[in-house]
Each structure stands twice: as structure tokens, then as C-alpha cells.
Amino acid sequence: MEIRIVENISLTDIKADVLILPFTEDYKGSVYAGLDDETAGLIKHVLDTKEFTGKHTELTLLHTKTGRVVLVGLGKAEQLTAERLRRVGGKVFISKYLKGHEVISAALSAAIFKELRILDGAQHSAAFYFVEGGVLSSYEFRRYKRPEKDQPQSLKTLTVLDAAQSDNSADSMKWLDTVIPAVSFARDLVNTPSSDMTPTILAETAKSLSGKLVKVNILDAWDAKKEGMWSYLSVSKGSAEPPKFIVIEYYGGPVKMPPVAIIGKSITFDSGGLSLKPADGMEKMKYDMAGGAAALGIIKAASELSLDINLVAVLPATENMPGGNATRPGDVVTAITGKTIEILNTDAEGRLVLADAIGYAIKHYKPAVIIDMATLTGACSIALGNEAIAMMGNNEALMDELKKASKETYERVWQMPLYEEYKDYLKSDIADIKNIGGRTGGLVTAAYFLSEFVTDTPWVHLDIASTAFADKDKPYIRKGATGIGVRLIMNYLLNRHD
Ligand code: BES
Ligand code: MN
Ligand code: ZN
């Protein structure tokens, strides 16, 4: 969708199939004074009769001679937040008033936000959040649907009128033009079934991001052996699909500047291996590469924005399958750091691939910061439901920066502890560490396992198992892949380089 901001144009002169007019609850002013008499009369009528009162996410459609007008309720002005605006925007763009009926262009008036000084001083303008929610909600995954015969045209352009002249508007437009499409890009990768999103295909997708500032290097099984990444390789042994260890370098900053390492769990299908998962719900394990997809989305957005920092993304891609050569429970492997791991459950494979990915990033890049994103544990949703990313790490300042980004994007993180006592939970009888803790603390012992491969680099682990895929529609995110992590980390990176 193309988004334009136009200034100094009257409401009557705007040519669009739909005009979107937001109202706060019980609004008595007259920001939309420039409307033609017919439209003004209709609006006055629905307001007088209380057919439309401006309640949060309330919608009313008016047909006028000049076109369609959608009145949108914002709710009480004093209750408006960035997130509530995203939700209203989402509701409008997903509504039947904007879908179908040959609605190709829409115009949104931001006059009321300006008049009531809504969200003055926030990172972006009120109109921005409204549009962000709208664009996110418009995402659809149609790759496997036969095109319908009379499929209605979808919205192509959105014109924003009377936007606030905030200093941030250039940044806002860049966000909408690059970060939101990167979220959709990640969502497409995650929604794609595993047979069409193998490690090889994921690697090809990574290569498609190559460019002047982006170098992609794919390590195959042989290369991984030479690196001593036996922990990673142990996960791929039961699969007929070759593993691909994907490394992407982005150079936007000074040559000597240590990069931010983004590590994304990239299990393209997690059957559990020999510790096989139950049949019920196994189909969802195509989304076990959501961390990797988010990492690719971040590289894509960062390079399109030419961010002046360096990044390295590491995606240890493989399937986790129960083949004749699969890793057996009880096997011991050595990771890149030299630590030995007793594999007691082959379904705890995420930490095995991440241990080597983290070790690889430290060995070859000495990163300033490591951020890993992983659909790591079922225990994540037991602890937090589907509302927040579980965050653990070894550096409070780094976690504070992510909390800030989390507040701004509403991709919420919730910090969980990494007590040193958890070390005991992972004591192996025969190796340096085992890959599962006991029955309790599954979320934190998984993170503790990772910490054993990080040593002292500032590091944060984001368990996105409960947020990367929605089983039902959210206010502005349709069910399916959510693309979580892209907006959070992009916000963090943009704040970091300021
Ligand atoms: N990919 C799963 C975690 C997961 C579960 C993600 C549900 C999304 C939804 C991970 O590889 C896994 O299987 N974890 C096990 C670990 C256990 C064996 C210690 C789990 O959480 O059950
Ligand atoms: Mn698993
Ligand atoms: Zn997994």
C-alpha cells in the first residue's frame, strides 16, 4: 500500500473511494468544517441521533453523492494511546467498508488529532499509529489460495490529510515504507509450510537480500563440521533435508565497529526428533523458524534504511526429524565452544542449534551485543499466555533498552530471572551439561542453557514461542504468523544509532 501525506488540500477536493474521519467520544467541535453540505448534514444526523457516538472502534458508513465516508470512533480522547490508535486503525482497514466494493484509494483526515493534540510529544504522530495498525491488519497470506474469479481490488493508496508537522514525520514514513513490509516478509516466511520453506529455501531467501552492504554466507554440513558445530549438526541428522547455517553481514557502520549479532532459531520443522511430539498441533511446528524469519526481516529493513550500524544475523537452519540416523536420547555431542552436551530429549533442539550459533557469532565477530530470538519453549506460554515475549539476559542495561523499544512498539517483553541456581538443574552425569532441566522452570532453564555458551558478551534471549503465531485474530494482527520481533528490534536499533 502506498502512503502519501498531503498538505493544504480541502476535504472536498480530495479524490478517494473512501474518506476516513475519526471522532473522539462525544466530540462537539467542528474539525471537519470543510465538508460539503450533504456529508456534513449526514454526520450531524448520526451524531444527533446517537447512531454514532465515537466509542472506541465503533464504525459507521455513510454514502454520499461524492463517495463513501467512514466515521471511526476513537473513544475518549484522554484514554488514547499509541496502541489504542493502532487498534482503531486495524479495525477500520480490516472492516468490510474498506474491503471489496472496488475500494482502491482511501483518505484519512488527521485533523482531529492535531486539534486535540493527541499524543503530542510521542515518538510518532497519532495518525502514524492509526496507519500502522491499519497496514498491519491488511496483511493476508494468499499464496496457497486459488485466486477468486471476481476477487475485489484491494486498497492501493492511502492519503493522509492534515497530518501533524512533527519533526519525526520523515522517520515515520520510512518506518511505514520499510519496517512494516519487513514484518509482512517475515510473516510470509513463517506462514509458508515446511515443505516449501526448507533450510535450502530459507538460505536462498537470505541470499536474495544480498547487496552492496549485505553479504550472505551459507555454511553447509561440511563447513559446519569444520567449525566443530556438532551440537547444531546433531539436530539435522534425522532429516533428509540438508542443513544450512546462514550468516548475513550488514555493514552500514564504520568498518571496525563491532556488530550487533541477531541470532534467529531456524528449525524449519520441529517434529521433536526421536522424542517425537504428539500428533495434535504438530502442524504448527512450521513456525519454529520464526526467530530466523524475524532476523531476515530486520536485515532487510536495516539495509533499506541504510542504518549506520553493523549487524550480523546467524540462522542455524535445519529440520528436526526422526530418521534412521537421528540423534538418540542419551547421545553426547561437543559444541563449537568445546562444551559437551548430553542430549536427553531431542525435542529440546532449539538450544542445541542456538548454542553453536551463539558460539559461532562470538568466535568470528566479537559482537558488541547478542540478541537471540527463538520459539524455544512451550513453557513460555504456560508462564505468560500469548501476550508477551519472555526476556532473559546477562545485561540489565541492554534489557532496559529492549523494554523501552517494547513500550514503543507494544511488542511486549517480560523479564524473567536467570538465577545461578538453575545451573544445577542442567547438571549431566556424564557430560558438561544436559539439554533439559527438570519438570519445573522450563522457560528459564532453556535460557540458562544458552547463557552457558555466551560467556560475558552482553546478551539477551527473547523466547517468542507464545507470540510468533496467533491462533486467533488479534486487534490488528490476523491469526497466523505475527512477524513479532521485527518492529521491536528495529525500534531498538533505531534508538541505538540515534
Ligand atoms: N519448538 C519447541 C517449542 C515450542 C512449543 C514452540 C510450542 C512453540 C509452540 C521446542 O523445540 C520444544 O520442543 N521445546 C520443548 C522442550 C522440552 C523438551 C524440554 C518443550 O517446550 O516442550
Ligand atoms: Mn522441539
Ligand atoms: Zn523447536
Side-chain angles (χ1 to χ4, degrees), residues 292-314:
L296 292 188
I298 290 160
I299 294 285
K300 182 169 150 47
S303 67
E304 284 173 15
L305 289 169
S306 309
L307 283 195
D308 53 4
I309 53 170
N310 295 330
L311 295 172
V312 57
V314 182

Side-chain angles (χ1 to χ4, degrees), residues 378-449:
C380 180
S381 56
I382 304 295
L384 298 172
N386 300 105
E387 306 312 321
I389 298 170
M391 173 169 78
M392 285 141 281
N394 62 4
N395 187 294
E396 292 298 326
L398 172 59
M399 287 191 281
D400 285 345
E401 287 180 71
L402 281 156
K403 283 178 196 165
K404 177 165 180 275
S406 161
K407 286 212 179 74
E408 282 164 1
T409 56
Y410 212 73
E411 293 201 334
R412 288 175 292 183
V413 298
W414 192 257
Q415 190 177 342
M416 301 296 271
L418 269 190
Y419 300 133
E420 56 185 331
E421 283 81 354
Y422 296 140
K423 195 179 180 78
D424 288 347
Y425 294 44
L426 296 168
K427 278 225 164 90
S428 161
D429 291 337
I430 64 167
D432 297 333
I433 193 170
K434 60 182 180 181
N435 81 328
I436 48 168
R439 214 176 52 81
T440 60
L443 171 63
V444 288
T445 54
Y448 197 93
F449 180 94

Side-chain angles (χ1 to χ4, degrees), residues 221-393:
W222 173 250
D223 303 318
K225 277 176 196 163
K226 279 197 298 192
E227 288 285 344
M229 298 197 282
W230 299 101
S231 180
Y232 161 66
L233 286 164
S234 75
V235 177
S236 69
K237 282 173 66 189
S239 172
E241 287 292 338
K244 301 285 169 185
F245 192 93
I246 304 164
V247 184
I248 310 166
E249 299 163 358
Y250 166 74
Y251 295 103
V255 199
K256 291 241 163 72
M257 185 195 261
V260 171
I262 313 268
I263 308 215
K265 175 174 173 183
S266 302
I267 302 294
T268 61
F269 189 72
D270 181 11
S271 72
L274 286 177
S275 312
L276 196 63
K277 284 185 183 296
D280 203 23
M282 199 198 272
E283 73 285 351
K284 282 181 63 190
M285 282 302 114
K286 69 175 183 181
Y287 89 83
D288 217 14
M289 37 61 77
L296 292 188
I298 290 160
I299 294 285
K300 182 169 150 47
S303 67
E304 284 173 15
L305 289 169
S306 309
L307 283 195
D308 53 4
I309 53 170
N310 295 330
L311 295 172
V312 57
V314 182
L315 285 71
T318 172
E319 286 187 331
N320 184 25
M321 297 289 266
N325 193 38
T327 294
R328 303 148 192 83
D331 284 354
V332 174
V333 294
T334 307
I336 189 169
T337 59
K339 226 187 246 300
T340 59
I341 305 165
E342 185 185 13
I343 300 174
L344 290 178
N345 189 319
T346 63
D347 197 13
E349 85 298 340
R351 61 199 78 181
L352 295 175
V353 304
L354 291 173
D356 275 338
I358 290 169
Y360 182 92
I362 294 174
K363 177 175 159 194
H364 291 280
Y365 295 96
K366 301 204 173 18
V369 163
I370 299 177
I371 300 170
D372 82 70
M373 292 180 288
T375 46
L376 202 62
T377 67
C380 180
S381 56
I382 304 295
L384 298 172
N386 300 105
E387 306 312 321
I389 298 170
M391 173 169 78
M392 285 141 281

